PDB file of all heavy atoms in Angstrom:
ATOM      1  N   ARG J   1       0.837  -1.209   0.000  1.00  0.00           N
ATOM      2  CA  ARG J   1       0.000   0.000   0.000  1.00  0.00           C
ATOM      3  C   ARG J   1       0.869   1.256   0.000  1.00  0.00           C
ATOM      4  O   ARG J   1       0.583   2.215  -0.720  1.00  0.00           O
ATOM      5  CB  ARG J   1      -0.931   0.002   1.203  1.00  0.00           C
ATOM      6  CG  ARG J   1      -2.123  -0.920   1.062  1.00  0.00           C
ATOM      7  CD  ARG J   1      -3.158  -0.707   2.162  1.00  0.00           C
ATOM      8  NE  ARG J   1      -2.646  -1.004   3.485  1.00  0.00           N
ATOM      9  CZ  ARG J   1      -2.602  -2.223   4.037  1.00  0.00           C
ATOM     10  NH1 ARG J   1      -3.040  -3.259   3.348  1.00  0.00           N
ATOM     11  NH2 ARG J   1      -2.137  -2.393   5.251  1.00  0.00           N
ATOM     12  N   ARG J   2       1.930   1.253   0.795  1.00  0.00           N
ATOM     13  CA  ARG J   2       2.797   2.432   0.862  1.00  0.00           C
ATOM     14  C   ARG J   2       3.587   2.628  -0.425  1.00  0.00           C
ATOM     15  O   ARG J   2       3.779   3.753  -0.881  1.00  0.00           O
ATOM     16  CB  ARG J   2       3.773   2.307   2.039  1.00  0.00           C
ATOM     17  CG  ARG J   2       3.142   2.546   3.392  1.00  0.00           C
ATOM     18  CD  ARG J   2       4.185   2.610   4.500  1.00  0.00           C
ATOM     19  NE  ARG J   2       4.821   1.328   4.752  1.00  0.00           N
ATOM     20  CZ  ARG J   2       4.416   0.431   5.662  1.00  0.00           C
ATOM     21  NH1 ARG J   2       3.342   0.676   6.390  1.00  0.00           N
ATOM     22  NH2 ARG J   2       5.076  -0.686   5.831  1.00  0.00           N
ATOM     23  N   LEU J   3       4.054   1.541  -1.026  1.00  0.00           N
ATOM     24  CA  LEU J   3       4.916   1.627  -2.200  1.00  0.00           C
ATOM     25  C   LEU J   3       4.148   1.807  -3.499  1.00  0.00           C
ATOM     26  O   LEU J   3       4.623   2.461  -4.428  1.00  0.00           O
ATOM     27  CB  LEU J   3       5.794   0.371  -2.303  1.00  0.00           C
ATOM     28  CG  LEU J   3       6.784   0.169  -1.166  1.00  0.00           C
ATOM     29  CD1 LEU J   3       7.429  -1.204  -1.261  1.00  0.00           C
ATOM     30  CD2 LEU J   3       7.828   1.273  -1.145  1.00  0.00           C
ATOM     31  N   GLY J   4       2.969   1.176  -3.604  1.00  0.00           N
ATOM     32  CA  GLY J   4       2.178   1.262  -4.834  1.00  0.00           C
ATOM     33  C   GLY J   4       2.909   0.653  -6.017  1.00  0.00           C
ATOM     34  O   GLY J   4       3.790  -0.195  -5.871  1.00  0.00           O
ATOM     35  N   GLY J   5       2.557   1.088  -7.220  1.00  0.00           N
ATOM     36  CA  GLY J   5       3.235   0.649  -8.437  1.00  0.00           C
ATOM     37  C   GLY J   5       3.252  -0.848  -8.617  1.00  0.00           C
ATOM     38  O   GLY J   5       2.199  -1.496  -8.639  1.00  0.00           O
ATOM     39  N   ASN J   6       4.418  -1.444  -8.709  1.00  0.00           N
ATOM     40  CA  ASN J   6       4.583  -2.858  -9.010  1.00  0.00           C
ATOM     41  C   ASN J   6       4.649  -3.744  -7.757  1.00  0.00           C
ATOM     42  O   ASN J   6       5.017  -4.910  -7.853  1.00  0.00           O
ATOM     43  CB  ASN J   6       5.848  -3.051  -9.853  1.00  0.00           C
ATOM     44  CG  ASN J   6       7.088  -2.528  -9.152  1.00  0.00           C
ATOM     45  OD1 ASN J   6       7.014  -1.877  -8.115  1.00  0.00           O
ATOM     46  ND2 ASN J   6       8.242  -2.789  -9.740  1.00  0.00           N
ATOM     47  N   ALA J   7       4.293  -3.191  -6.604  1.00  0.00           N
ATOM     48  CA  ALA J   7       4.369  -3.948  -5.352  1.00  0.00           C
ATOM     49  C   ALA J   7       3.142  -4.849  -5.185  1.00  0.00           C
ATOM     50  O   ALA J   7       2.008  -4.416  -5.402  1.00  0.00           O
ATOM     51  CB  ALA J   7       4.490  -3.011  -4.164  1.00  0.00           C
ATOM     52  N   ARG J   8       3.400  -6.105  -4.798  1.00  0.00           N
ATOM     53  CA  ARG J   8       2.348  -7.085  -4.521  1.00  0.00           C
ATOM     54  C   ARG J   8       2.442  -7.459  -3.040  1.00  0.00           C
ATOM     55  O   ARG J   8       3.460  -7.976  -2.600  1.00  0.00           O
ATOM     56  CB  ARG J   8       2.546  -8.365  -5.317  1.00  0.00           C
ATOM     57  CG  ARG J   8       2.557  -8.227  -6.805  1.00  0.00           C
ATOM     58  CD  ARG J   8       2.764  -9.600  -7.438  1.00  0.00           C
ATOM     59  NE  ARG J   8       3.249  -9.460  -8.798  1.00  0.00           N
ATOM     60  CZ  ARG J   8       3.651 -10.476  -9.545  1.00  0.00           C
ATOM     61  NH1 ARG J   8       3.644 -11.701  -9.070  1.00  0.00           N
ATOM     62  NH2 ARG J   8       4.076 -10.272 -10.772  1.00  0.00           N
ATOM     63  N   GLY J   9       1.381  -7.213  -2.297  1.00  0.00           N
ATOM     64  CA  GLY J   9       1.363  -7.544  -0.881  1.00  0.00           C
ATOM     65  C   GLY J   9       0.783  -8.923  -0.644  1.00  0.00           C
ATOM     66  O   GLY J   9      -0.287  -9.251  -1.168  1.00  0.00           O
ATOM     67  N   LEU J  10       1.480  -9.736   0.139  1.00  0.00           N
ATOM     68  CA  LEU J  10       1.013 -11.086   0.472  1.00  0.00           C
ATOM     69  C   LEU J  10       0.907 -11.241   1.984  1.00  0.00           C
ATOM     70  O   LEU J  10       1.796 -10.822   2.714  1.00  0.00           O
ATOM     71  CB  LEU J  10       1.991 -12.138  -0.058  1.00  0.00           C
ATOM     72  CG  LEU J  10       2.285 -12.171  -1.554  1.00  0.00           C
ATOM     73  CD1 LEU J  10       3.320 -13.251  -1.857  1.00  0.00           C
ATOM     74  CD2 LEU J  10       1.019 -12.393  -2.350  1.00  0.00           C
ATOM     75  N   ILE J  11      -0.164 -11.884   2.419  1.00  0.00           N
ATOM     76  CA  ILE J  11      -0.288 -12.258   3.823  1.00  0.00           C
ATOM     77  C   ILE J  11       0.361 -13.633   3.993  1.00  0.00           C
ATOM     78  O   ILE J  11       0.570 -14.345   3.004  1.00  0.00           O
ATOM     79  CB  ILE J  11      -1.762 -12.284   4.291  1.00  0.00           C
ATOM     80  CG1 ILE J  11      -2.568 -13.306   3.485  1.00  0.00           C
ATOM     81  CG2 ILE J  11      -2.385 -10.894   4.211  1.00  0.00           C
ATOM     82  CD1 ILE J  11      -3.976 -13.531   3.996  1.00  0.00           C
ATOM     83  N   PRO J  12       0.714 -14.019   5.231  1.00  0.00           N
ATOM     84  CA  PRO J  12       1.346 -15.329   5.414  1.00  0.00           C
ATOM     85  C   PRO J  12       0.548 -16.460   4.776  1.00  0.00           C
ATOM     86  O   PRO J  12      -0.677 -16.515   4.899  1.00  0.00           O
ATOM     87  CB  PRO J  12       1.423 -15.478   6.925  1.00  0.00           C
ATOM     88  CG  PRO J  12       1.546 -14.063   7.408  1.00  0.00           C
ATOM     89  CD  PRO J  12       0.640 -13.274   6.486  1.00  0.00           C
ATOM     90  N   TRP J  13       1.249 -17.308   4.060  1.00  0.00           N
ATOM     91  CA  TRP J  13       0.787 -18.494   3.337  1.00  0.00           C
ATOM     92  C   TRP J  13       0.103 -18.166   2.017  1.00  0.00           C
ATOM     93  O   TRP J  13      -0.291 -19.060   1.299  1.00  0.00           O
ATOM     94  CB  TRP J  13      -0.095 -19.397   4.209  1.00  0.00           C
ATOM     95  CG  TRP J  13       0.598 -19.747   5.487  1.00  0.00           C
ATOM     96  CD1 TRP J  13       0.165 -19.457   6.750  1.00  0.00           C
ATOM     97  CD2 TRP J  13       1.838 -20.428   5.642  1.00  0.00           C
ATOM     98  NE1 TRP J  13       1.080 -19.900   7.674  1.00  0.00           N
ATOM     99  CE2 TRP J  13       2.121 -20.505   7.012  1.00  0.00           C
ATOM    100  CE3 TRP J  13       2.765 -20.968   4.741  1.00  0.00           C
ATOM    101  CZ2 TRP J  13       3.271 -21.095   7.513  1.00  0.00           C
ATOM    102  CZ3 TRP J  13       3.906 -21.554   5.243  1.00  0.00           C
ATOM    103  CH2 TRP J  13       4.152 -21.623   6.614  1.00  0.00           C
ATOM    104  N   GLN J  14      -0.014 -16.899   1.673  1.00  0.00           N
ATOM    105  CA  GLN J  14      -0.521 -16.523   0.356  1.00  0.00           C
ATOM    106  C   GLN J  14       0.640 -16.599  -0.633  1.00  0.00           C
ATOM    107  O   GLN J  14       1.786 -16.333  -0.276  1.00  0.00           O
ATOM    108  CB  GLN J  14      -1.090 -15.107   0.395  1.00  0.00           C
ATOM    109  CG  GLN J  14      -1.792 -14.681  -0.877  1.00  0.00           C
ATOM    110  CD  GLN J  14      -2.403 -13.287  -0.752  1.00  0.00           C
ATOM    111  OE1 GLN J  14      -2.089 -12.521   0.146  1.00  0.00           O
ATOM    112  NE2 GLN J  14      -3.269 -12.968  -1.686  1.00  0.00           N
ATOM    113  N   ALA J  15       0.333 -16.958  -1.877  1.00  0.00           N
ATOM    114  CA  ALA J  15       1.400 -17.142  -2.866  1.00  0.00           C
ATOM    115  C   ALA J  15       1.136 -16.316  -4.118  1.00  0.00           C
ATOM    116  O   ALA J  15       0.003 -15.938  -4.414  1.00  0.00           O
ATOM    117  CB  ALA J  15       1.520 -18.612  -3.233  1.00  0.00           C
ATOM    118  N   THR J  16       2.201 -16.063  -4.828  1.00  0.00           N
ATOM    119  CA  THR J  16       2.147 -15.455  -6.144  1.00  0.00           C
ATOM    120  C   THR J  16       3.116 -16.243  -7.019  1.00  0.00           C
ATOM    121  O   THR J  16       3.862 -17.080  -6.524  1.00  0.00           O
ATOM    122  CB  THR J  16       2.503 -13.949  -6.101  1.00  0.00           C
ATOM    123  OG1 THR J  16       2.209 -13.347  -7.366  1.00  0.00           O
ATOM    124  CG2 THR J  16       3.961 -13.719  -5.743  1.00  0.00           C
ATOM    125  N   ARG J  17       3.101 -15.981  -8.287  1.00  0.00           N
ATOM    126  CA  ARG J  17       3.878 -16.797  -9.210  1.00  0.00           C
ATOM    127  C   ARG J  17       4.632 -15.896 -10.184  1.00  0.00           C
ATOM    128  O   ARG J  17       4.098 -14.924 -10.698  1.00  0.00           O
ATOM    129  CB  ARG J  17       2.909 -17.696  -9.963  1.00  0.00           C
ATOM    130  CG  ARG J  17       3.547 -18.625 -10.948  1.00  0.00           C
ATOM    131  CD  ARG J  17       2.547 -19.615 -11.458  1.00  0.00           C
ATOM    132  NE  ARG J  17       2.499 -20.708 -10.488  1.00  0.00           N
ATOM    133  CZ  ARG J  17       1.664 -21.716 -10.542  1.00  0.00           C
ATOM    134  NH1 ARG J  17       0.774 -21.793 -11.513  1.00  0.00           N
ATOM    135  NH2 ARG J  17       1.715 -22.668  -9.640  1.00  0.00           N
ATOM    136  N   LEU J  18       5.873 -16.278 -10.449  1.00  0.00           N
ATOM    137  CA  LEU J  18       6.650 -15.664 -11.522  1.00  0.00           C
ATOM    138  C   LEU J  18       6.702 -16.670 -12.658  1.00  0.00           C
ATOM    139  O   LEU J  18       7.090 -17.823 -12.444  1.00  0.00           O
ATOM    140  CB  LEU J  18       8.076 -15.354 -11.059  1.00  0.00           C
ATOM    141  CG  LEU J  18       8.260 -14.375  -9.906  1.00  0.00           C
ATOM    142  CD1 LEU J  18       9.733 -14.248  -9.556  1.00  0.00           C
ATOM    143  CD2 LEU J  18       7.663 -13.019 -10.225  1.00  0.00           C
ATOM    144  N   HIS J  19       6.290 -16.267 -13.842  1.00  0.00           N
ATOM    145  CA  HIS J  19       6.358 -17.175 -14.988  1.00  0.00           C
ATOM    146  C   HIS J  19       6.705 -16.386 -16.246  1.00  0.00           C
ATOM    147  O   HIS J  19       6.323 -15.227 -16.399  1.00  0.00           O
ATOM    148  CB  HIS J  19       5.059 -17.970 -15.176  1.00  0.00           C
ATOM    149  CG  HIS J  19       3.841 -17.120 -15.278  1.00  0.00           C
ATOM    150  ND1 HIS J  19       3.385 -16.610 -16.455  1.00  0.00           N
ATOM    151  CD2 HIS J  19       2.987 -16.685 -14.320  1.00  0.00           C
ATOM    152  CE1 HIS J  19       2.293 -15.885 -16.232  1.00  0.00           C
ATOM    153  NE2 HIS J  19       2.043 -15.915 -14.951  1.00  0.00           N
ATOM    154  N   ALA J  20       7.478 -17.048 -17.088  1.00  0.00           N
ATOM    155  CA  ALA J  20       7.901 -16.464 -18.359  1.00  0.00           C
ATOM    156  C   ALA J  20       8.351 -17.609 -19.263  1.00  0.00           C
ATOM    157  O   ALA J  20       8.789 -18.653 -18.764  1.00  0.00           O
ATOM    158  CB  ALA J  20       9.040 -15.477 -18.155  1.00  0.00           C
ATOM    159  N   PRO J  21       8.253 -17.431 -20.565  1.00  0.00           N
ATOM    160  CA  PRO J  21       8.733 -18.478 -21.483  1.00  0.00           C
ATOM    161  C   PRO J  21      10.203 -18.796 -21.233  1.00  0.00           C
ATOM    162  O   PRO J  21      10.992 -17.904 -20.902  1.00  0.00           O
ATOM    163  CB  PRO J  21       8.536 -17.842 -22.867  1.00  0.00           C
ATOM    164  CG  PRO J  21       7.560 -16.739 -22.674  1.00  0.00           C
ATOM    165  CD  PRO J  21       7.722 -16.269 -21.262  1.00  0.00           C
ATOM    166  N   ASP J  22      10.557 -20.054 -21.373  1.00  0.00           N
ATOM    167  CA  ASP J  22      11.940 -20.519 -21.264  1.00  0.00           C
ATOM    168  C   ASP J  22      12.577 -20.340 -19.889  1.00  0.00           C
ATOM    169  O   ASP J  22      13.801 -20.327 -19.766  1.00  0.00           O
ATOM    170  CB  ASP J  22      12.835 -19.844 -22.328  1.00  0.00           C
ATOM    171  CG  ASP J  22      12.334 -20.104 -23.739  1.00  0.00           C
ATOM    172  OD1 ASP J  22      11.864 -21.239 -23.999  1.00  0.00           O
ATOM    173  OD2 ASP J  22      12.378 -19.185 -24.572  1.00  0.00           O
ATOM    174  N   ARG J  23      11.734 -20.160 -18.872  1.00  0.00           N
ATOM    175  CA  ARG J  23      12.229 -20.081 -17.498  1.00  0.00           C
ATOM    176  C   ARG J  23      11.325 -20.956 -16.624  1.00  0.00           C
ATOM    177  O   ARG J  23      10.144 -21.105 -16.919  1.00  0.00           O
ATOM    178  CB  ARG J  23      12.164 -18.658 -16.957  1.00  0.00           C
ATOM    179  CG  ARG J  23      13.065 -17.677 -17.638  1.00  0.00           C
ATOM    180  CD  ARG J  23      12.971 -16.357 -16.942  1.00  0.00           C
ATOM    181  NE  ARG J  23      13.677 -15.315 -17.664  1.00  0.00           N
ATOM    182  CZ  ARG J  23      13.737 -14.066 -17.257  1.00  0.00           C
ATOM    183  NH1 ARG J  23      13.116 -13.692 -16.163  1.00  0.00           N
ATOM    184  NH2 ARG J  23      14.398 -13.181 -17.950  1.00  0.00           N
ATOM    185  N   PRO J  24      11.854 -21.484 -15.540  1.00  0.00           N
ATOM    186  CA  PRO J  24      10.983 -22.245 -14.651  1.00  0.00           C
ATOM    187  C   PRO J  24      10.002 -21.307 -13.950  1.00  0.00           C
ATOM    188  O   PRO J  24      10.349 -20.172 -13.620  1.00  0.00           O
ATOM    189  CB  PRO J  24      11.955 -22.868 -13.646  1.00  0.00           C
ATOM    190  CG  PRO J  24      13.122 -21.934 -13.632  1.00  0.00           C
ATOM    191  CD  PRO J  24      13.231 -21.403 -15.041  1.00  0.00           C
ATOM    192  N   THR J  25       8.783 -21.761 -13.772  1.00  0.00           N
ATOM    193  CA  THR J  25       7.820 -20.992 -12.984  1.00  0.00           C
ATOM    194  C   THR J  25       8.232 -21.078 -11.525  1.00  0.00           C
ATOM    195  O   THR J  25       8.540 -22.153 -11.021  1.00  0.00           O
ATOM    196  CB  THR J  25       6.398 -21.553 -13.186  1.00  0.00           C
ATOM    197  OG1 THR J  25       6.052 -21.364 -14.575  1.00  0.00           O
ATOM    198  CG2 THR J  25       5.388 -20.848 -12.314  1.00  0.00           C
ATOM    199  N   ILE J  26       8.247 -19.941 -10.851  1.00  0.00           N
ATOM    200  CA  ILE J  26       8.603 -19.901  -9.437  1.00  0.00           C
ATOM    201  C   ILE J  26       7.372 -19.503  -8.632  1.00  0.00           C
ATOM    202  O   ILE J  26       6.789 -18.436  -8.879  1.00  0.00           O
ATOM    203  CB  ILE J  26       9.752 -18.916  -9.156  1.00  0.00           C
ATOM    204  CG1 ILE J  26      10.995 -19.304  -9.944  1.00  0.00           C
ATOM    205  CG2 ILE J  26      10.057 -18.863  -7.648  1.00  0.00           C
ATOM    206  CD1 ILE J  26      12.156 -18.320  -9.791  1.00  0.00           C
ATOM    207  N   ASP J  27       6.984 -20.362  -7.695  1.00  0.00           N
ATOM    208  CA  ASP J  27       5.920 -20.031  -6.746  1.00  0.00           C
ATOM    209  C   ASP J  27       6.571 -19.403  -5.525  1.00  0.00           C
ATOM    210  O   ASP J  27       7.491 -19.982  -4.933  1.00  0.00           O
ATOM    211  CB  ASP J  27       5.141 -21.277  -6.346  1.00  0.00           C
ATOM    212  CG  ASP J  27       4.310 -21.818  -7.492  1.00  0.00           C
ATOM    213  OD1 ASP J  27       3.708 -21.000  -8.227  1.00  0.00           O
ATOM    214  OD2 ASP J  27       4.273 -23.044  -7.674  1.00  0.00           O
ATOM    215  N   ILE J  28       6.110 -18.211  -5.162  1.00  0.00           N
ATOM    216  CA  ILE J  28       6.633 -17.492  -4.007  1.00  0.00           C
ATOM    217  C   ILE J  28       5.529 -17.422  -2.965  1.00  0.00           C
ATOM    218  O   ILE J  28       4.472 -16.837  -3.216  1.00  0.00           O
ATOM    219  CB  ILE J  28       7.088 -16.073  -4.382  1.00  0.00           C
ATOM    220  CG1 ILE J  28       8.159 -16.146  -5.473  1.00  0.00           C
ATOM    221  CG2 ILE J  28       7.586 -15.320  -3.145  1.00  0.00           C
ATOM    222  CD1 ILE J  28       8.513 -14.800  -6.071  1.00  0.00           C
ATOM    223  N   THR J  29       5.759 -18.037  -1.818  1.00  0.00           N
ATOM    224  CA  THR J  29       4.790 -18.055  -0.728  1.00  0.00           C
ATOM    225  C   THR J  29       5.305 -17.174   0.402  1.00  0.00           C
ATOM    226  O   THR J  29       6.453 -17.321   0.844  1.00  0.00           O
ATOM    227  CB  THR J  29       4.583 -19.489  -0.201  1.00  0.00           C
ATOM    228  OG1 THR J  29       4.137 -20.313  -1.294  1.00  0.00           O
ATOM    229  CG2 THR J  29       3.557 -19.539   0.913  1.00  0.00           C
ATOM    230  N   ALA J  30       4.455 -16.263   0.873  1.00  0.00           N
ATOM    231  CA  ALA J  30       4.816 -15.448   2.038  1.00  0.00           C
ATOM    232  C   ALA J  30       4.793 -16.340   3.271  1.00  0.00           C
ATOM    233  O   ALA J  30       3.883 -17.156   3.443  1.00  0.00           O
ATOM    234  CB  ALA J  30       3.824 -14.302   2.205  1.00  0.00           C
ATOM    235  N   THR J  31       5.815 -16.219   4.102  1.00  0.00           N
ATOM    236  CA  THR J  31       5.890 -17.027   5.318  1.00  0.00           C
ATOM    237  C   THR J  31       5.796 -16.122   6.544  1.00  0.00           C
ATOM    238  O   THR J  31       6.162 -14.942   6.486  1.00  0.00           O
ATOM    239  CB  THR J  31       7.191 -17.849   5.360  1.00  0.00           C
ATOM    240  OG1 THR J  31       8.319 -16.978   5.316  1.00  0.00           O
ATOM    241  CG2 THR J  31       7.242 -18.839   4.199  1.00  0.00           C
ATOM    242  N   PRO J  32       5.300 -16.676   7.649  1.00  0.00           N
ATOM    243  CA  PRO J  32       5.160 -15.864   8.863  1.00  0.00           C
ATOM    244  C   PRO J  32       6.499 -15.304   9.322  1.00  0.00           C
ATOM    245  O   PRO J  32       7.536 -15.957   9.190  1.00  0.00           O
ATOM    246  CB  PRO J  32       4.616 -16.850   9.898  1.00  0.00           C
ATOM    247  CG  PRO J  32       4.043 -17.976   9.121  1.00  0.00           C
ATOM    248  CD  PRO J  32       4.832 -18.047   7.846  1.00  0.00           C
ATOM    249  N   ALA J  33       6.448 -14.112   9.850  1.00  0.00           N
ATOM    250  CA  ALA J  33       7.623 -13.461  10.427  1.00  0.00           C
ATOM    251  C   ALA J  33       7.119 -12.487  11.491  1.00  0.00           C
ATOM    252  O   ALA J  33       6.007 -11.980  11.397  1.00  0.00           O
ATOM    253  CB  ALA J  33       8.421 -12.729   9.357  1.00  0.00           C
ATOM    254  N   ARG J  34       7.941 -12.265  12.479  1.00  0.00           N
ATOM    255  CA  ARG J  34       7.613 -11.283  13.518  1.00  0.00           C
ATOM    256  C   ARG J  34       8.885 -10.520  13.824  1.00  0.00           C
ATOM    257  O   ARG J  34       9.932 -11.110  14.061  1.00  0.00           O
ATOM    258  CB  ARG J  34       7.073 -11.989  14.769  1.00  0.00           C
ATOM    259  CG  ARG J  34       6.496 -11.006  15.771  1.00  0.00           C
ATOM    260  CD  ARG J  34       5.847 -11.708  16.929  1.00  0.00           C
ATOM    261  NE  ARG J  34       6.892 -12.229  17.798  1.00  0.00           N
ATOM    262  CZ  ARG J  34       6.691 -13.223  18.666  1.00  0.00           C
ATOM    263  NH1 ARG J  34       5.528 -13.820  18.754  1.00  0.00           N
ATOM    264  NH2 ARG J  34       7.679 -13.631  19.432  1.00  0.00           N
ATOM    265  N   HIS J  35       8.789  -9.214  13.850  1.00  0.00           N
ATOM    266  CA  HIS J  35       9.956  -8.344  13.925  1.00  0.00           C
ATOM    267  C   HIS J  35      10.456  -8.091  15.345  1.00  0.00           C
ATOM    268  O   HIS J  35      11.422  -7.366  15.532  1.00  0.00           O
ATOM    269  CB  HIS J  35       9.600  -7.025  13.246  1.00  0.00           C
ATOM    270  CG  HIS J  35      10.751  -6.302  12.640  1.00  0.00           C
ATOM    271  ND1 HIS J  35      11.803  -6.922  12.013  1.00  0.00           N
ATOM    272  CD2 HIS J  35      11.025  -4.975  12.561  1.00  0.00           C
ATOM    273  CE1 HIS J  35      12.656  -6.018  11.576  1.00  0.00           C
ATOM    274  NE2 HIS J  35      12.213  -4.835  11.896  1.00  0.00           N
ATOM    275  N   GLY J  36       9.800  -8.679  16.323  1.00  0.00           N
ATOM    276  CA  GLY J  36      10.213  -8.441  17.708  1.00  0.00           C
ATOM    277  C   GLY J  36       9.484  -9.366  18.655  1.00  0.00           C
ATOM    278  O   GLY J  36       8.863 -10.346  18.238  1.00  0.00           O
ATOM    279  N   PRO J  37       9.526  -9.054  19.939  1.00  0.00           N
ATOM    280  CA  PRO J  37       8.883  -9.914  20.929  1.00  0.00           C
ATOM    281  C   PRO J  37       7.363  -9.899  20.797  1.00  0.00           C
ATOM    282  O   PRO J  37       6.806  -9.082  20.059  1.00  0.00           O
ATOM    283  CB  PRO J  37       9.342  -9.325  22.267  1.00  0.00           C
ATOM    284  CG  PRO J  37       9.752  -7.935  21.971  1.00  0.00           C
ATOM    285  CD  PRO J  37      10.188  -7.900  20.530  1.00  0.00           C
ATOM    286  N   PRO J  38       6.677 -10.810  21.506  1.00  0.00           N
ATOM    287  CA  PRO J  38       5.205 -10.819  21.455  1.00  0.00           C
ATOM    288  C   PRO J  38       4.628  -9.426  21.712  1.00  0.00           C
ATOM    289  O   PRO J  38       5.170  -8.654  22.500  1.00  0.00           O
ATOM    290  CB  PRO J  38       4.815 -11.789  22.568  1.00  0.00           C
ATOM    291  CG  PRO J  38       5.999 -12.676  22.736  1.00  0.00           C
ATOM    292  CD  PRO J  38       7.197 -11.805  22.439  1.00  0.00           C
TER     293      PRO J  38
END
């Protein structure tokens, strides 16, 4: 939301895909992370 443009926001366990001819398709899954203590 802050960056706009070509930014894709994913919540944990949501995935997106990179695909193009002559390249392997890459599935990118967002994984949980926490930046500090509880």
Side-chain angles (χ1 to χ4, degrees):
R1 283 190 297 276
R2 285 188 291 267
L3 296 171
N6 58 351
R8 300 180 200 173
L10 302 178
I11 61 172
W13 306 120
Q14 187 177 15
T16 190
R17 181 170 276 175
L18 298 177
H19 55 88
D22 302 322
R23 294 184 188 180
T25 296
I26 301 176
D27 291 319
I28 302 171
T29 302
T31 59
R34 190 174 75 201
H35 208 37

